[in-house]
Amino acid sequence: MNWKISVLSLSAWAVGLVACGGPGNRAAQDIRRWIGTRVEIPAGLVARADGRDTLLVPEDSGAVAKVLVYYSAEGCTPCKLKELMQWRPMIEELAEDSAVRFVFILNPAHTTERELEMTLYGMRFVHPVFYDRANEFEISNPELPKNPVFQTFLLDSANRVMLVGSPVGNAKMWELYKRTIAGMTAE
């Protein structure tokens, strides 16, 4: 079975699960609206890793797929950073696949840089995290879903959305990510 048909079928199934009306209907609309659209990653974002600037823009260098995770300014920034620890096993699982990049963008509006650095250092999270203090990501992507679960995207090499939704704490969604990535890298 063609992996694109499989992804579309599974995405339609996921949309069907949340499309029963009420708040879920909004989620289904968010998912449908994003599949196939291009996510704009602003130039000039600075990534921090190990307490120092590392990159000025998410570097693609041959990436066939990107997992983009956006954390908005709303809510508890240290709580969001703790979620990064849940990404570690997924990053390690795909570590051998050089065609996949993980891009973490954080809008730390209510947190000082020192607090961010101390939290990341304490967690020993060494993967780059892009700070977006100017809210450029949301400005560049004005239709961004409000629900944080739907602010995680699997992107192709042209930054088009293949999947919407966070696989953190959702084994079935993570399996869907892996199958879709395998299909993307096999082409």
Side-chain angles (χ1 to χ4, degrees):
M1 177 182 236
N2 184 335
W3 73 271
K4 290 180 183 180
I5 293 171
S6 179
V7 168
L8 290 174
S9 298
L10 286 168
S11 294
W13 172 77
V15 169
L17 283 178
V18 294
C20 298
N25 196 22
R26 172 74 177 158
Q29 291 171 354
D30 284 342
I31 291 170
R32 274 189 297 244
R33 180 181 17 245
W34 277 92
I35 298 295
T37 62
R38 184 168 155 62
V39 170
E40 296 297 325
I41 301 175
L45 294 180
V46 176
R48 302 281 291 176
D50 288 334
R52 62 194 131 154
D53 294 347
T54 58
L55 304 168
L56 291 177
V57 89
E59 182 61 47
D60 297 342
S61 64
V64 172
K66 287 188 263 331
V67 178
L68 186 143
V69 182
Y70 177 69
Y71 293 108
S72 71
E74 295 179 23
C76 167
T77 300
C79 301
K80 292 174 187 176
L81 289 176
K82 289 180 183 169
E83 184 181 298
L84 290 174
M85 294 305 293
Q86 295 176 28
W87 282 99
R88 186 178 284 164
M90 291 181 262
I91 293 169
E92 290 171 1
E93 188 172 347
L94 295 178
E96 293 179 15
D97 191 344
S98 62
V100 180
R101 300 285 182 269
F102 284 80
V103 178
F104 297 96
I105 300 175
L106 171 69
N107 182 334
H110 308 295
T111 308
T112 67
E113 195 158 312
R114 179 163 167 68
E115 290 173 310
L116 291 170
E117 294 303 321
M118 289 175 54
T119 302
L120 289 170
Y121 177 79
M123 295 178 350
R124 305 287 191 259
F125 190 80
V126 296
H127 200 77
V129 176
F130 291 87
Y131 295 171
D132 183 20
R133 289 197 182 277
N135 202 30
E136 292 177 59
F137 185 76
E138 284 191 42
I139 291 168
S140 298
N141 301 284
E143 298 293 320
L144 191 68
K146 297 298 179 206
N147 186 335
V149 171
F150 301 120
Q151 293 178 349
T152 299
F153 306 94
L154 176 61
L155 307 176
D156 68 7
S157 60
N159 291 340
R160 286 185 306 261
V161 176
M162 304 303 294
L163 292 174
V164 178
S166 175
V168 170
N170 186 335
K172 289 182 181 181
M173 188 66 165
W174 180 234
E175 288 303 316
L176 179 58
Y177 266 71
K178 291 189 298 186
R179 280 195 308 269
T180 306
I181 290 168
M184 293 167 72
T185 57
E187 289 186 343

